[in-house]
Amino acid sequence: MSKKEPVPIKSQKLTVPQIIEYCKNDLGITFNLMDVEKAKEFLKKNNFFFRLKQYCSTCTEQTRSGKFIGLDFGHLVELSTIDMFLRKLLLKMTIDLEHYLKVKLVNDCQNNPADDGYEVVEKFLESHLKIKDELSKVNKNTSYGESSFENYVAAPAVWNFVEMVSFGDFISFYAFYYDYMRMQCEYTKHFESVRRIRNACAHNVCMLASFKSVPGFKSDLETNFELLGGNIGIGNGTISSCMKVPLLNDFAVMLSVYTKLISSPKIKEITLQEIKDFFDGRMVYRKQYFENNSDIKNAYLFARKVLDYYSDK
């Protein structure tokens, strides 16, 4: 029996004033924390409603008639603002991770007398023909320094190949490299979480759109056990339930990898302090908006405790 195709949903195009009326009449959204005029300006200059609407279910529940309970437009704006700042900070951390993963890989290659730097790339490309095909097109029309990569496309070595591929292809090669060289690497098992949070940040995904657990989602077991045995200041039940939320799981995994991998103490110290300042400052600037939202409060408590735990390592 074939699976039915989902029925496409076509939403009506609305002007900003019409969106305001839709919010009031169809969704039950109030305009007390942010009045209508300011909401109109926000929608014209700062964001669009399709993105804001993704935060609705984070804030409250919906009635059978489709209206949200106790939801104000200001709640949506505040979550979207926090989300924006959070994405910027996490993207910075994942870019650092990408760089230091490359540093580790290149150093391991250079210090391995059994590795000439070329064979492992050749073998990888033999089993990844799509990447090989993409490599032949690399940066031919760029005006930046990457145009020099063309010189290495025919026979790339580890130290230039890692700069020529996307992050997803790089982590595939990273895992392949250590397996091919029969070398142990503790980070590869965490790559799915790192890749997921990095892509969410880079592609501007609404990360705070849900703090619900996802059926079938597999949390990172090693990080889970690490936190359960770490005496981080919250109960094991809360830890286990929070690690079933993809964002919270990936945040914890990324922090775990970050604090172990980043070899510059100064970069690590400055970056972790920056995100702590955000958690203790702008993130809770309007915490009274979400005082009655247990999902948001539990997520914040978990993330803040996890941040302290890995920062102290």
Side-chain angles (χ1 to χ4, degrees):
M1 189 174 179
S2 61
K3 187 178 179 181
K4 287 185 178 180
E5 291 292 324
V7 178
I9 299 174
K10 290 188 176 182
S11 54
Q12 184 181 358
K13 184 178 76 169
L14 301 174
T15 63
V16 167
Q18 289 172 330
I19 289 171
I20 298 296
E21 292 306 307
Y22 169 69
C23 287
K24 289 179 179 179
N25 301 328
D26 294 66
L27 300 181
I29 296 174
T30 59
F31 291 83
N32 299 320
L33 300 175
M34 175 176 277
D35 65 36
V36 167
E37 291 308 312
K38 287 182 180 178
K40 287 180 180 178
E41 284 300 300
F42 186 85
L43 288 171
K44 289 176 183 178
K45 298 179 179 179
N46 300 100
N47 215 328
F48 52 97
F49 188 65
F50 181 78
R51 284 185 65 85
L52 288 180
K53 192 178 178 184
Q54 293 180 60
Y55 300 107
C56 287
S57 58
T58 309
C59 297
T60 185
E61 295 180 353
Q62 210 168 0
T63 65
R64 288 184 179 179
S65 64
K67 294 189 176 183
F68 291 96
I69 303 167
L71 179 60
D72 194 271
F73 194 82
H75 293 137
L76 306 179
V77 171
E78 182 64 8
L79 270 182
S80 73
T81 303
I82 293 170
D83 203 335
M84 173 193 68
F85 286 121
L86 181 63
R87 285 194 307 272
K88 289 181 178 181
L89 287 170
L90 296 184
L91 181 59
K92 178 181 176 180
M93 294 180 76
T94 56
I95 288 172
D96 284 347
L97 275 177
E98 181 177 0
H99 174 71
Y100 279 91
L101 283 168
K102 290 177 180 178
V103 170
K104 183 182 186 306
L105 178 59
V106 170
N107 273 282
D108 285 345
C109 167
Q110 291 170 337
N111 295 324
N112 182 3
D115 180 13
D116 65 0
Y118 290 88
E119 180 184 310
V120 64
V121 179
E122 183 181 348
K123 293 296 183 184
F124 175 75
L125 292 176
E126 284 178 4
S127 57
H128 294 78
L129 296 179
K130 186 177 179 181
I131 298 176
K132 185 175 183 178
D133 181 57
E134 288 298 318
L135 202 64
S136 65
K137 307 170 188 174
V138 72
N139 299 307
K140 288 188 176 180
N141 299 313
T142 183
S143 58
Y144 293 94
E146 291 94 330
S147 58
S148 61
F149 292 164
E150 291 182 50
N151 301 329
Y152 308 103
V153 167
V158 168
W159 47 90
N160 41 55
F161 180 67
V162 298
E163 288 291 279
M164 299 160 71
V165 293
S166 69
F167 180 70
D169 292 342
F170 164 68
I171 60 176
S172 294
F173 174 66
Y174 193 101
F176 179 90
Y177 180 90
Y178 288 95
D179 183 60
Y180 185 79
M181 292 296 171
R182 291 181 167 80
M183 297 169 64
Q184 188 175 2
C185 182
E186 60 181 308
Y187 304 116
T188 53
K189 58 175 134 348
H190 306 303
F191 277 166
E192 182 58 22
S193 291
V194 173
R195 181 198 63 78
R196 198 161 43 225
I197 202 167
R198 189 260 192 194
N199 286 350
C201 294
H203 296 293
N204 210 29
V205 171
C206 295
M207 300 178 72
L208 304 183
S210 175
F211 294 115
K212 301 292 186 184
S213 60
V214 174
F217 176 75
K218 294 181 180 179
S219 63
D220 187 290
L221 285 178
E222 186 175 293
T223 306
N224 208 327
F225 288 136
E226 190 174 20
L227 293 173
L228 288 171
N231 192 26
I232 69 172
I234 53 178
N236 287 352
T238 301
I239 293 173
S240 296
S241 62
C242 285
M243 288 294 284
K244 293 175 183 176
V245 177
L247 172 62
L248 299 180
N249 172 84
D250 296 347
F251 178 74
V253 173
M254 189 198 65
L255 280 174
S256 176
V257 175
Y258 190 91
T259 52
K260 293 168 185 171
L261 179 68
I262 305 301
S263 56
S264 167
K266 199 65 179 175
I267 288 177
K268 191 186 303 185
E269 177 189 352
I270 291 171
T271 303
L272 291 174
Q273 188 58 54
E274 186 177 13
I275 195 166
K276 280 183 180 180
D277 290 343
F278 172 66
F279 265 74
D280 297 337
R282 181 60 188 87
M283 187 177 278
V284 292
Y285 179 63
R286 294 189 175 95
K287 63 181 180 181
Q288 70 274 14
Y289 284 13
F290 310 107
E291 195 62 41
N292 298 320
N293 191 308
S294 58
D295 287 343
I296 292 177
K297 289 173 71 174
N298 287 338
Y300 174 82
L301 177 63
F302 172 81
R304 189 64 185 84
K305 290 292 186 181
V306 167
L307 182 55
D308 274 338
Y309 174 71
Y310 285 116
S311 297
D312 291 340
K313 281 190 166 296

